[in-house]
Amino acid sequence: MIEKTIEETKATALITGASSGIGAAFARRLADNGFDLILIARREELLVNLCKELKDTKGINAEYMLIDLEKDNELKIVEERIKKTPNLEILVNNAGFGGGNKAFYEIPIEDHINMVKVHNIAPLQLAHAAIPGLLIKGKGAIINVSSIGSFSPSSGVMYSTTKNFLNYLSESLDLLLKKRGIKIQALCPGFTTTDFHKKLGYGSEHPVYRRKFMTAEKVVETSLKALKKGKVYCIPGFRNKLLAFLLRKLPKRVLIFAYRKMFSKRKSIIEE
Ligand SMILES: NC(=O)c1ccc[n+]([C@@H]2O[C@H](COP(=O)([O-])OP(=O)(O)OC[C@H]3O[C@@H](n4cnc5c(N)ncnc54)[C@H](OP(=O)(O)O)[C@@H]3O)[C@@H](O)[C@H]2O)c1
């Protein structure tokens, strides 16, 4: 773990998974809004370049921490950093990765456990570390980046399960903290153009790219607009909203029938 620190003065946002995609888009957008930033990820070159860009072009303080959120001792370092950052106002629990198209039993158990660590343990631990400071200030926000895939099962099982955990965590924290001035959001994007699908090894010919993708910038813009309104769920894009509505409102027996049909045809229902 390498840490580069610079002096903090302004309201600060900490973003996990900031080296690319939605996390990097959050970093650029929050820098536009004058936030100092603490950026967390593993790919150093991307973090170095992003910090430099943000300092040079937006005049904010940007710091990065090279952290693997699968490792308990490294997650602990981020937890401690949050506790020592009294001006932290926004925590974005964004780091994550896809499960691909394999079935649950074909995926090594270690991979499932690592997904639980990155998607669930890290957001839980970082939110727990951030909330006391936010309560003292009586303001702030936690954005948990979930997925439209959280509303339906997947054959890999753990992507939808871990993202659904984030929804429930967000709903419960919102109930607890809204009246204390703290906003909680479960951000549920659909297909978004980032490194996510590339990391699954999907080439440009993969059928997933026949879907309509949103830009990471649009996802972030929608999230920050929704945060102002204080709604706990943010589902960017009309088609994603409609899909989430159907998945949440259709009778369970209809959904189970549809899922069984789809599981028999292809391994994953929603691949983001
Ligand atoms: N793209 C989509 O279609 C889509 C749709 C719905 C939801 N999402 C969610 O959006 C979030 C951001 O993903 P993205 O689409 O922006 O993909 P991305 O470009 O691959 O970004 C994922 C980020 O998470 C970080 N990360 C992954 N594992 C990590 C670990 N063990 N420790 C520290 N950082 C880790 C990556 O950093 P390093 O690799 O540098 O460590 C990277 O910065 C994820 O939670 C994903 O589930 C994405």
Side-chain angles (χ1 to χ4, degrees):
M1 204 290 307
I2 300 166
E3 193 177 346
K4 297 244 188 307
T5 313
I6 51 176
E7 205 186 324
E8 288 160 31
T9 48
K10 292 182 278 185
T12 298
L14 185 143
I15 305 165
T16 69
S19 55
S20 61
I22 295 170
F26 264 114
R28 292 194 174 93
R29 192 54 190 254
L30 291 171
D32 282 335
N33 295 348
F35 280 85
D36 284 344
L37 297 171
I38 304 171
L39 307 179
I40 311 290
R42 294 166 300 181
R43 287 172 294 172
E44 186 167 24
E45 203 183 332
L46 293 175
L47 289 172
V48 169
N49 292 341
L50 183 57
C51 283
K52 185 173 176 343
E53 173 200 318
L54 297 174
K55 282 191 264 187
D56 291 351
T57 61
K58 322 264 186 190
I60 56 120
N61 288 332
E63 161 193 341
Y64 72 86
M65 295 170 78
L66 271 190
I67 294 286
D68 183 349
L69 293 169
E70 291 173 11
K71 298 191 173 139
D72 299 349
N73 58 329
E74 298 197 13
L75 173 59
K76 188 83 192 153
I77 293 166
V78 188
E79 184 191 343
E80 292 306 321
R81 186 69 182 80
I82 287 177
K83 288 181 180 168
K84 287 185 197 138
T85 308
N87 49 355
L88 185 85
E89 282 195 16
I90 300 187
L91 166 65
V92 185
N93 282 314
N94 163 75
F97 55 94
N101 270 332
K102 285 189 176 161
F104 176 74
Y105 49 84
E106 295 167 338
I107 301 169
I109 187 63
E110 292 76 17
D111 293 4
H112 288 311
I113 291 169
N114 285 336
M115 188 174 270
V116 172
K117 285 183 176 175
V118 177
H119 289 180
N120 299 155
I121 304 294
L124 171 72
Q125 204 163 323
L126 300 186
H128 190 264
I131 287 167
L134 301 181
L135 283 174
I136 290 169
K137 289 192 284 292
K139 63 174 181 178
I142 299 175
I143 298 171
N144 294 315
V145 183
S146 175
S147 167
I148 188 86
S150 63
F151 299 116
S152 85
S154 57
S155 67
V157 176
M158 292 314 290
Y159 189 77
S160 47
T161 302
T162 54
K163 292 297 187 179
N164 195 276
F165 169 101
L166 280 180
N167 294 355
Y168 214 70
L169 178 73
S170 306
E171 278 191 43
S172 306
L173 288 177
D174 178 66
L175 282 173
L176 189 68
L177 299 170
K178 194 174 209 142
K179 290 230 162 81
R180 309 282 303 270
I182 300 167
K183 292 176 174 173
I184 308 287
Q185 181 182 98
L187 172 60
C188 302
F191 291 105
T192 309
T193 309
T194 65
D195 288 353
F196 186 92
H197 294 96
K198 272 186 251 161
K199 284 180 182 169
L200 291 171
Y202 297 171
S204 54
E205 73 298 336
H206 193 279
V208 75
Y209 295 114
R210 288 186 213 135
R211 308 294 185 95
K212 196 168 162 29
F213 275 61
M214 275 179 101
T215 64
E217 290 71 26
K218 186 73 194 161
V219 167
V220 168
E221 184 191 321
T222 312
S223 162
L224 293 176
K225 263 191 202 154
L227 197 65
K228 282 192 188 142
K229 293 187 189 147
K231 276 192 188 168
V232 68
Y233 280 99
C234 172
I235 304 166
F238 174 74
R239 290 152 69 112
N240 296 324
K241 268 197 192 69
L242 183 65
L243 179 60
F245 176 81
L246 293 173
L247 289 169
R248 291 156 97 188
K249 300 292 176 198
L250 280 174
K252 206 76 185 165
R253 62 181 195 291
V254 175
L255 285 174
I256 288 170
F257 178 76
Y259 291 147
R260 287 219 171 103
K261 281 250 175 235
M262 284 189 267
F263 264 71
S264 62
K265 276 198 193 141
R266 47 186 269 228
K267 286 186 170 174
S268 198
I269 296 168
I270 295 174
E271 290 158 22
E272 69 276 59

